Each structure stands twice: as structure tokens, then as C-alpha cells.
Amino acid sequence: MRMLFSLIFALANLTVYAQELPNDGPLTLRPALQQLGTQLLQGKTGSIVAINPANGEILCLATNTPQGFDVRQAIGKPNAPGSTFKTAQALTLLSEGIVTPETTVECVNGVTDGNIKVGCHKHRSPLALKDALAQSCNTWFLMTFASMINDDFMYESRDEAITTWRSYMQSMGLGGPMHIDIQGEQGGLLAGADYLNRRYKDGWDGKTIWWAGMGQGDVTCTPLQLCNLAVTIANRGWFYVPHIHQNTTNKRYLTKRQTKVSPEAYPIVVDGMRLAVEKGTATCIKTTYPICGKTGTVENPGEDHSVFIAFAPVNDPKIAVSVYVEHGGFGADLAAPMAGLIIESYLKGKLSSASEARLKRIENKKINK
């Protein structure tokens, strides 16, 4: 009964937010996914967003906070994206020719630069791009991002390099509001030249901001934006602005938007995300139907945030998902299993008995922060 009340409350609140804009008909939400998302988030602070890649319809927009449902948790609260952002980095680096699929980087438990050390979990070394995505190698992405910003052959200045980088990210729907049909949307942060010149008055280079290479530091995104990032990868380079009204006639939500990314870059990143589920950091959701995913673990004071983006099936995507659980630990601890259940429920119409048991375990896990 409590779960039913929570679901009704959430749907009612979403309807209020949506109706503050012109009403274009019934909502796109799938009640079964909303209920499942609400169950998964019990006792936690976070959000689950699911989108149909084919048309931008929002299938699930579940949130929870200590005060209950709050849609701003998904659309109005930018946070560091962690390693989920490495997908966007890889697409940009490939498109600019900074790396190739064969580019390797040595990593032995991380990288040290002067008195700064960035750790990385144990994996074989060196790794090429697909395996760097699958194993979520921090060193690979820190070093290659820094090499792009410091490349004085490709770019006349650091300002030009970061402006180029930022333009790719914006084309994927990151950095600013996408103007969805729900009140309360916020943008996020993508470090640009003006921002960096103000912040680092004594000068900056690729290593000053290399944390952005792994989705930390001078970059923040909303869970909605992360889900849309997964949509752009699922579609190999295009998306519709996410929306919550069915049968909309608003051209904003009916216009296909292309990213700036080279079409040749997408199959490589898709393979890396598939490898993450098959043999990498997201094997906890390995299943008989093909899922592409990317884990994220966001460092912050206290327990890390657990983050995950995914889409499925690989070659005929029906759903893209992002999960963000504050203080949930590693990306594979909570966010990935939660996303796996959302995908299974949508594609299969129900959960298996093993997945029902996993749902109960997740539902009973409380995070008191």
C-alpha cells in the first residue's frame, strides 16, 4: 500500500510539473517502469531515467530524496558524471583524431604527476580504447584528454582546444538545458575557455583540468543528460529532445538533432560498452540479450555515488537508461543492477524469479545519508 501511494504521489507531482507547460496530451511514462523505479529507490537518494531512443519519449522518471519524490533530482541537480562521461570523451577524441582504436596507455594502479596521484583499479596494461572503456581505466582517459588540450599542432591555443572539446559535448546534449517539457530543468558545467581563464588566473593546461577526462572536476551533468548521452550512442549520433507528452505537435520535440561526432567513432564506443557488460566493470548485468553499458563511480566526501548508463538491445535499441544513486558506492554496486532490472522489465514485460530476488535485495538496502 505504501508503494502504491508513493507511485501515485510521484505521478501526480510529475503531472503538475508537466502541466505548467502547454499540455500536449497524455504522458509518455510507463506505469510499470515508474513503479519499479520507485521500488528500487526506496531508502535511497537518486534517480532513474529511461528514454525511448527512437522518439525521445521519457519512459521512466523515478526519483527519491529524504523528503520523497522530487523531479529536480533527475533534471535539476547537476553532479559529476564520473566514468560514464568517458564514453563522450572517447567519441570526441576519436572524432578529432587525437586517438585511434589502437591507442594504448600504460597504467599501473593509476598515474602520478608531481605530488598528484590519481588511482586506478587493477587491470592488465597497456589497454587500447575498447578495453579502456570496458575496464574504465582512469589513466587512459586522463592522459588522452590532456594530450588533446595540450596539442599545439592541431590547435593554435589551449582556448581553441577546449572550445573544440566543449562543442562536441554540447552537441551530445551536455552542458546546458535541453528545454524538455518539464519545469525545473538545469544545465550543468562544461569548462570553457572563459571559465578556465577566470578560475586559473596563473594559467592552465591539459594537466590542470585532466580530471574532466574521467568525469570529475570541471564538468557536471544531470541524470537526464546522461540518459540522453546513452540515447545518442544507441542511435549512433542523433537524438530527439526528451519529452514527457505523447503525441506532441511541438517541433522542438519532433526535430532530429545530430551530434558533431564522426559516424566512424560510434561502433568503437558501442563495442567498448558491450565489452564492459561482457567482460568488464558491468558483468553483474550480463544476460542473454545484448546490453551496452558504462559504470561510473563519483568521488565525493563520504561514500562514492553509484552511476550507470546503458541501452539495449545493441543493434535495435528500444530503451536507454541512466541511474544515479547518491552514496551508493561503485557503479556496479547499485546503479548497474538497477538499470539491468529496468531494461529487463521493459524488454521482457516482467522480471525473472532471479531478478525479482535481486529487486528485493536492492529494495531492502537503505542508505542513510
Side-chain angles (χ1 to χ4, degrees), residues 67-99:
Q67 291 74 43
F69 176 86
D70 187 342
V71 71
R72 291 170 295 186
Q73 190 73 25
I75 71 171
K77 187 178 180 182
N79 279 305
S83 293
T84 60
F85 195 68
K86 291 172 182 174
T87 57
Q89 289 284 30
L91 292 168
T92 301
L93 294 165
L94 285 165
S95 299
E96 282 294 284
I98 303 299
V99 302

Side-chain angles (χ1 to χ4, degrees), residues 242-260:
H243 52 280
I244 203 169
H245 287 111
Q246 287 183 4
N247 306 318
T248 180
T249 58
N250 190 323
K251 289 185 179 180
R252 179 189 300 279
Y253 310 114
L254 300 175
T255 302
K256 185 182 288 188
R257 297 161 193 270
Q258 299 286 338
T259 72
K260 188 179 176 180

Side-chain angles (χ1 to χ4, degrees), residues 47-69:
S47 65
I48 300 173
V49 183
I51 296 173
N52 181 346
N55 55 24
E57 290 187 352
I58 298 174
L59 306 172
C60 177
L61 194 58
T63 73
N64 196 40
T65 72
Q67 291 74 43
F69 176 86

Side-chain angles (χ1 to χ4, degrees), residues 180-223:
I180 64 171
D181 54 349
I182 308 174
Q183 293 286 352
E185 185 189 9
Q186 297 293 322
L189 171 65
L190 284 175
D194 290 344
Y195 167 88
L196 293 171
N197 290 330
R198 289 195 306 270
R199 180 172 182 184
Y200 303 105
K201 297 187 183 300
D202 294 331
W204 56 275
D205 62 12
K207 288 191 175 179
T208 311
I209 60 171
W210 68 352
W211 306 98
M214 54 183 261
Q216 300 268 174
D218 298 307
V219 57
T220 62
C221 309
T222 64

